Amino acid sequence: MKFLRVNCNKFVIWFFCIMIVNAEAKEELQERPNFIIILADDLGYGDVGYNGSTEIFTPNIDKLAQEGIICSNGYVTHPYCGPSRAGLITGKYQARFGMEVNCSYSPYDLQMGLSLSEKTFATRLKLLDYSTGIIGKWHLGAAKPFHPNNRGFDYFYGFLSGGHCYFPEDVSTIQTLISDDGSINYSGNEGGTLPLLRNDKNVEFSSYLTRSFSKDAVDFIKNNNKPFCLFLSYNAPHGPLEAPNETIKKYAHIKDWNRRVYAAMVDEMDQGIGLIIEALKKEKKYDNTLIIFLSDNGGVAPKDGFANENWASNFPFKHGKGSFYEGGIHVPFIFHWPKMIDSNVYNGLVSSLDIAPTIVSLAGGDLLENEFDGYDIIPHLLNNLPSPHDALFWREAGGLCWAVRTEKYKMLKNKWDAKDFELYNLATHPNESKNIKKTNSDIVKKLALKWNDWNVNNSRTSLLQSYDYQKKRQEMYNNLNEQLKKDASQKSTYKIKF
Ligand code: CA
């Protein structure tokens, strides 16, 4: 009896200990922050109020900026969609695994996607018991192994391709690579009128696409009872330029029609962000949610040969989407977290590469050496410490174009056929207006060595540009069909044996 009582007591003590430990663990679990990464698509640096836009109204983004930390030197790893997303989602330069061009939408191609050797931040957070979701654009592969649900996301609502129509009436289940006139669609955005997906099921959307994504994000926030990470990957304001009439009307002060519609698209995204903030407050999740807002690349602005594509403003920067000049890669970038972050401006170098290690670290994960090219940036932001990045690097197509930036200087070869490269002092000329290469051979050498060192650990390009890919694919089909025609022209030699 005594023995039993002792054991009983032990059991009671053990039970209470477990209860306390569990309560502590639970409390700790509850204290872990939620993450919402809001990624705009092709948003111009100068097209948000907090960066000086007087034409486009972005009160909700501006509020995030005013209350949070504005990264005045925030960069993405590529001047257009797919590779930029690959860098952001892995925390590694995409050149490390050769993904330097956009994925074509190709549901049967097991090569056309984010290399399966790479882990996304969602995979890492899922292991830390986070609920993970992505709403919006994927653009990291359409074949099954690349599907977001197979890359760490519990939940997916959106589309797999690089772009999508905004109105439900334009959706069609019929997709073809060949246009009505027999030409091939080289856009790389094939799949842009397919129905949306909720996880792996086709679903309809009934409102303007940006509104559907915002509404779904609100539901995701409401329905999650454990720490969550939501990647809200708007395709706004990426083309096609489409917006509801009532919102376009707000921008009658903008003369150029394309820019007017683009402004309305930015406006719709900003309204959606307002709804998300409202939902976070209502659900009492606002204080402990880290919101990171940025664009995947610069806005569509004039560049040689594309004078008709000119609806965004990357002011004060040069050029835009597709360019290694500042307009292509220097983006609006904000960290907002009421519980931990006070209003500030951080001037050190910050990269989209920092997002994955930052949220993994905040979720309680370990940052193993050589797993990331980015850093947990929070201590630097909170304490205004110097940037952990000595330099940032860019590369396209194995090095035909490249750029390197340190705190002060930037050196780049922006075009494949450029005869020479350029050097700028961004401290004095942030708009890259004065090339100082000729008079600064020591700086040229220093930056070249840095880039060469960085490039040692990169892979060769593993994907074809969309145009080349479609061309090769058609050649492949043509060859196959020629062979089949040849085979069909042969007489059949089959005989029934009896
Ligand atoms: Ca983009």
Side-chain angles (χ1 to χ4, degrees):
M1 197 67 188
K2 194 180 173 191
F3 174 78
L4 188 66
R5 198 161 54 232
V6 168
N7 273 314
C8 251
N9 285 343
K10 270 190 177 170
F11 174 76
V12 169
I13 291 165
W14 174 81
F15 179 76
F16 277 111
C17 280
I18 291 293
M19 290 284 282
I20 290 163
V21 170
N22 272 347
E24 277 175 359
K26 219 170 179 183
E27 201 175 309
E28 202 176 275
L29 211 65
Q30 279 167 356
E31 278 178 2
R32 293 195 299 170
N34 305 305
F35 309 116
I36 305 183
I37 296 121
I38 305 177
L39 187 67
D41 195 352
D42 297 4
L43 174 66
Y45 184 87
D47 286 331
V48 283
Y50 87 89
N51 275 343
S53 180
T54 51
E55 278 188 334
I56 303 179
F57 314 129
T58 56
N60 294 300
I61 296 170
D62 297 346
K63 200 155 184 287
L64 290 180
Q66 282 148 14
E67 293 174 354
I69 291 181
I70 296 169
C71 299
S72 66
N73 282 301
Y75 286 85
V76 283
T77 57
H78 204 77
Y80 57 81
C81 310
S84 172
R85 284 150 200 271
L88 187 159
I89 210 164
T90 58
K92 283 168 75 172
Y93 283 111
Q94 60 278 2
R96 304 289 194 220
F97 44 92
M99 193 177 162
E100 293 180 295
V101 297
N102 276 338
C103 280
S104 290
Y105 177 82
S106 190
Y108 303 109
D109 190 335
L110 297 176
Q111 171 68 12
M112 194 48 86
L114 176 69
S115 171
L116 297 176
S117 62
E118 302 308 316
K119 279 187 194 155
T120 70
F121 61 68
T123 299
R124 295 176 190 278
L125 291 178
K126 212 167 134 75
L127 290 171
L128 296 165
D129 201 30
Y130 265 65
S131 165
T132 54
I134 172 168
I135 293 169
K137 165 167 158 175
W138 176 240
H139 208 187
L140 291 172
K144 200 169 177 187
F146 303 122
H147 187 286
N149 288 149
N150 294 324
R151 303 312 298 267
F153 290 96
D154 300 317
Y155 178 75
F156 170 53
Y157 175 64
F159 59 91
L160 298 172
S161 56
H164 204 276
C165 60
Y166 287 85
F167 290 109
E169 52 269 33
D170 296 327
V171 169
S172 161
T173 50
I174 301 162
Q175 288 286 304
T176 175
L177 264 179
I178 310 293
S179 311
D180 292 344
D181 62 2
S183 61
I184 314 172
N185 175 3
Y186 288 129
S187 72
N189 288 341
E190 317 95 319
T193 54
L194 281 174
L196 295 188
L197 290 167
R198 179 163 279 118
N199 299 319
D200 59 352
K201 301 275 184 303
N202 283 355
V203 285
E204 289 178 4
F205 64 108
S206 53
S207 61
Y208 180 63
L209 187 61
T210 303
R211 295 180 189 179
S212 293
F213 288 155
S214 302
K215 186 185 169 300
D216 214 67
V218 165
D219 291 344
F220 183 88
I221 292 163
K222 278 187 188 164
N223 297 335
N224 258 299
N225 296 318
K226 65 177 188 177
F228 67 79
C229 174
L230 172 62
F231 183 15
L232 178 52
S233 176
Y234 281 116
N235 56 319
H238 188 290
L241 294 177
E242 295 171 352
N245 279 332
E246 68 267 26
T247 317
I248 295 173
K249 276 183 193 156
K250 279 170 74 174
Y251 290 92
H253 56 279
I254 298 177
K255 276 191 187 163
D256 179 84
W257 175 256
N258 283 344
R259 181 156 174 77
R260 194 185 298 177
V261 179
Y262 163 85
M265 294 168 83
V266 177
D267 188 299
E268 285 283 338
M269 177 177 65
D270 186 79
Q271 287 184 47
I273 293 170
L275 295 176
I276 284 145
I277 292 168
E278 208 178 286
L280 285 170
K281 286 183 176 169
K282 208 171 158 194
E283 298 294 316
K284 305 205 181 323
K285 295 173 182 170
Y286 179 71
D287 275 356
N288 200 22
T289 296
L290 167 63
I291 299 175
I292 303 172
F293 174 82
L294 74 163
S295 178
D296 70 336
N297 50 255
V300 176
K303 52 186 176 185
D304 299 344
F306 292 97
N308 59 337
E309 291 193 347
N310 176 22
W311 48 78
S313 165
N314 297 303
F315 185 81
F317 301 133
K318 187 168 163 179
H319 286 201
K321 179 179 182 178
S323 164
F324 283 137
Y325 288 118
E326 292 288 274
I329 51 179
H330 193 153
V331 293
F333 207 143
I334 304 163
F335 285 76
H336 179 274
W337 186 8
K339 188 177 170 183
M340 293 297 290
I341 282 178
D342 291 327
S343 168
N344 200 4
V345 176
Y346 182 74
N347 295 321
L349 296 178
V350 174
S351 168
S352 55
L353 296 168
D354 299 329
I355 292 173
T358 295
I359 60 180
V360 167
S361 173
L362 289 172
D366 294 323
L367 304 183
L368 302 178
E369 217 178 323
N370 301 325
E371 281 219 295
F372 297 106
D373 286 311
Y375 299 89
D376 176 1
I377 199 75
I378 291 293
H380 301 266
L381 298 182
L382 292 183
N383 304 305
N384 221 6
L385 298 173
S387 170
H389 296 280
D390 169 48
L392 295 175
F393 305 96
W394 293 265
R395 194 188 82 163
E396 188 177 16
L400 288 174
C401 315
W402 51 260
V404 44
R405 179 191 170 167
T406 57
E407 190 184 351
K408 199 170 173 188
Y409 296 103
K410 182 169 162 199
M411 194 159 85
L412 76 156
K413 181 172 172 250
N414 189 46
K415 284 190 164 186
W416 296 17
D417 55 357
K419 287 191 184 113
D420 206 355
F421 51 88
E422 300 154 54
L423 174 69
Y424 297 99
N425 179 341
L426 291 185
T428 56
H429 294 82
N431 58 351
E432 294 162 292
S433 57
K434 192 182 173 194
N435 183 359
I436 56 167
K437 179 182 168 262
K438 280 187 182 159
T439 49
N440 289 281
S441 56
D442 52 334
I443 298 165
V444 167
K445 191 178 167 191
K446 206 172 138 193
L447 293 185
L449 286 173
K450 274 185 197 297
W451 192 91
N452 290 344
D453 272 355
W454 168 76
N455 197 41
V456 164
N457 294 320
N458 289 335
S459 303
R460 296 178 69 163
T461 303
S462 65
L463 297 178
L464 282 171
Q465 286 279 13
S466 181
Y467 181 89
D468 297 327
Y469 181 70
Q470 306 301 10
K471 218 170 150 187
K472 291 245 184 228
R473 192 149 67 165
Q474 195 181 38
E475 279 167 19
M476 185 185 79
Y477 284 134
N478 288 346
N479 291 339
L480 181 66
N481 288 333
E482 283 306 313
Q483 186 58 47
L484 290 173
K485 265 190 228 164
K486 248 189 221 169
D487 291 350
S489 67
Q490 305 291 315
K491 295 272 187 238
S492 173
T493 55
Y494 185 76
K495 283 182 181 150
I496 298 171
K497 285 178 186 157
F498 55 92

